[in-house]
Amino acid sequence: MDDDKAASFASYLSQVYTTPKTHPTSTLDDCIVTYLDYACPMSLPIYPFSHTEILAEITRISPHKAPGFVLLTGRILKELPKEATTLLTTIYDSMLRLTYFPITCKFALVIMIPKPSKPPHSATSYRPISLLPLMSKLFERLLPKRLQVDTNINDLIPSHQFGFRVKHSTTQQCQRIVHEIVKCLEEKILCTAAFLDIQQAFDRVWHDSLLHKLTTTFPTPYYLLLKS
């Protein structure tokens, strides 16, 4: 029974996580791909992480954080000796210097979580949760801090964008919408809204266009690292 479920999930996920859907205009596709093939402009390297930064970020990790396939838990990470954390700092700094994200850091342990009120016999009724190694998560928490220093990222993100932003929540977004509605009622003007729910939105991201935005927004080392 478990083997049948695993095979069903594997078949479903292999169909979902295929080559991302591209823009319907092939000419635009070709232009962006050609642009991405151009040599990147010269830029200063990303400033390396210090050992103190690594230790400070490790202390913020929950000891109960779910580990990935390497089974390195948050508690183990907190108990690492100085020699190990120093080596970890060297690895992270090498990733910055080489603008390369190791492939072993991308391997994820996938757990299928059932969606509420969905038929349990269908593979589409489950939401995949990817558990990456804690070393990957630690690096992903350190990199945005460098990005905020080297780029004016707050000016790049629209003010109405609340997802994945510090000190922004869905509650504040709801308050913003209510404020706009009340404002329109007081001024006796029309208030319109459009709500979109895109199925598998993350899987439908146009990768080439996203990379194009990165080249025109971030310094070259960040673009190469994020592309990797």
Side-chain angles (χ1 to χ4, degrees):
M1 184 63 178
D2 290 341
D3 292 340
D4 294 339
K5 290 179 65 176
S8 177
F9 287 144
S11 176
Y12 167 68
L13 294 177
S14 64
Q15 296 174 8
V16 173
Y17 297 105
T18 55
T19 303
K21 286 75 176 175
T22 57
H23 196 276
T25 307
S26 59
T27 304
L28 185 58
D29 269 341
D30 295 338
C31 292
I32 290 181
V33 171
T34 302
Y35 177 85
L36 294 177
D37 287 338
Y38 291 153
C40 297
M42 296 292 292
S43 181
L44 293 175
I46 305 174
Y47 192 74
F49 298 121
S50 66
H51 187 243
T52 304
E53 285 181 284
I54 304 295
L55 293 178
E57 202 60 47
I58 289 177
T59 58
R60 298 188 182 97
I61 293 180
S62 171
H64 307 292
K65 195 76 172 178
F69 74 98
V70 297
L71 302 181
L72 179 64
T73 64
R75 186 176 299 276
I76 294 177
L77 199 62
K78 290 176 177 291
E79 297 295 335
L80 290 177
K82 182 179 179 180
E83 292 78 7
T85 54
T86 300
L87 178 60
L88 189 61
T89 305
T90 303
I91 294 174
Y92 286 164
D93 288 343
S94 299
M95 292 166 62
L96 296 181
R97 186 177 68 256
L98 300 174
T99 61
Y100 176 73
F101 196 80
I103 190 171
T104 53
C105 294
K106 304 175 187 177
F107 290 146
L109 181 64
V110 180
I111 298 177
M112 305 299 289
I113 306 296
K115 300 177 182 177
S117 305
K118 296 291 183 178
H121 60 274
S122 175
T124 59
S125 301
Y126 293 81
R127 180 179 291 107
I129 302 297
S130 300
L131 301 180
L132 290 168
L134 277 185
M135 290 179 60
S136 301
K137 295 179 182 179
L138 181 61
F139 181 80
E140 290 175 355
R141 293 173 63 168
L142 289 163
L143 185 62
K145 296 182 178 181
R146 283 289 182 275
L147 195 60
Q148 291 174 354
V149 172
D150 293 340
T151 63
N152 197 4
I153 195 169
N154 291 327
D155 292 340
L156 300 175
I157 302 177
S159 60
H160 56 267
Q161 171 65 38
F162 277 63
F164 305 101
R165 298 187 68 185
V166 179
K167 297 181 180 180
H168 287 69
S169 67
T170 53
T171 302
Q172 293 169 312
Q173 184 70 294
C174 291
Q175 291 174 342
R176 187 182 73 88
I177 295 175
V178 171
H179 173 74
E180 292 296 329
I181 294 174
V182 172
K183 179 181 177 182
C184 291
L185 290 175
E186 291 178 348
E187 297 178 358
K188 297 181 180 182
I189 59 177
L190 291 176
C191 181
T192 60
F195 298 89
L196 301 178
D197 184 9
I198 302 176
Q199 184 180 13
Q200 297 175 347
F202 184 81
D203 306 321
R204 297 177 186 273
V205 171
W206 185 15
H207 282 193
D208 289 338
S209 177
L210 180 60
L211 291 175
H212 177 266
K213 289 183 178 181
L214 293 179
T215 60
T216 58
T217 305
F218 294 157
T220 297
Y222 287 102
Y223 160 69
L224 295 175
L225 182 57
L226 292 172
K227 179 182 178 181
S228 176

